Amino acid sequence: MLRLRPYKEEDAHAIISWSKDARGFYLWSAGVMGDYPITRKELKFVDSLMAFTALEEEKTAGFFTLRNPEGRMDELRIGFVILAPEYRGCGKGKEMLKLALKYAFELYGAKRVSLGVFENNEPAYYCYESVGFEDVILDEPETYQILNEEWKCKEMAIER
């Protein structure tokens, strides 16, 4: 069973190692921290966010951040979601997201939690949908230029 704790700098090595190629790295980071491969110094960017590490027993199994884009705690945004490769496809992502939502709603008092997911990241999209996130229709979807392609980002949210 997963548990969460605040991110520690010593988690960086494991988190960075989970991205085996540029495409996999950009699917969770959108290149916000820098170009693939990033360093521990570049991952330090998450120190300005509410960053969490998911542990399975004592093994680092996942990572995500929460932030409050409007400066208020009634809406939080999940970002930089990644799991160790050995925990993908077995329900651990769903378990980690449920814990993230519990923190957001019960600990921080959020009324709404949102996130963005690339259209070409179907496993993540279906994981988010499985815990209750729903599509938010935007007038114009956010797009990123990644690996010489245009990646569209879907907006999703869940309200309490």
Side-chain angles (χ1 to χ4, degrees):
M1 180 163 52
L2 288 181
R3 67 181 176 85
L4 299 180
R5 68 155 164 75
Y7 166 79
K8 297 178 182 177
E9 191 173 342
E10 58 261 27
D11 301 331
H13 178 73
I15 294 164
I16 291 168
S17 77
W18 299 337
S19 296
K20 302 298 184 197
D21 59 36
R23 180 178 170 73
F25 168 72
Y26 292 119
L27 282 173
W28 72 272
S29 75
V32 171
M33 291 175 245
D35 293 326
Y36 175 80
I38 61 167
T39 64
R40 292 172 74 121
K41 183 179 178 185
E42 290 166 314
L43 188 62
K44 211 162 171 36
F45 165 82
V46 304
D47 289 349
S48 64
L49 307 171
M50 295 175 276
F52 295 89
T53 301
L55 301 173
E56 178 69 30
E57 296 182 13
E58 293 306 311
K59 186 171 177 357
T60 306
F63 173 80
F64 68 92
T65 63
L66 289 173
R67 65 182 173 92
N68 50 342
E70 301 295 323
R72 303 181 331 250
M73 296 304 280
D74 61 339
E75 180 171 348
L76 294 176
R77 188 159 182 88
I78 295 177
F80 304 118
V81 178
I82 186 169
L83 284 172
E86 63 269 29
Y87 294 109
R88 297 176 189 162
C90 63
K92 293 298 180 184
K94 186 175 180 177
E95 187 178 344
M96 183 173 75
L97 286 165
K98 285 181 176 181
L99 290 170
L101 290 170
K102 184 176 178 126
Y103 269 60
F105 291 131
E106 295 178 17
L107 185 65
Y108 294 113
K111 305 283 185 249
R112 182 176 196 263
V113 177
S114 63
L115 57 79
V117 60
F118 287 119
E119 287 182 350
N120 59 347
N121 193 354
E122 288 183 3
Y125 175 82
Y126 290 118
C127 181
Y128 301 146
E129 189 178 55
S130 75
V131 296
F133 282 92
E134 296 178 346
D135 290 336
V136 174
I137 306 303
L138 301 175
D139 291 335
E140 190 164 323
E142 195 172 357
T143 59
Y144 292 75
Q145 289 297 318
I146 297 176
L147 301 174
N148 298 316
E149 300 172 353
E150 183 177 270
W151 289 12
K152 289 185 181 174
C153 191
K154 288 185 176 196
E155 181 72 10
M156 299 183 83
I158 185 170
E159 294 188 20
R160 185 150 211 214

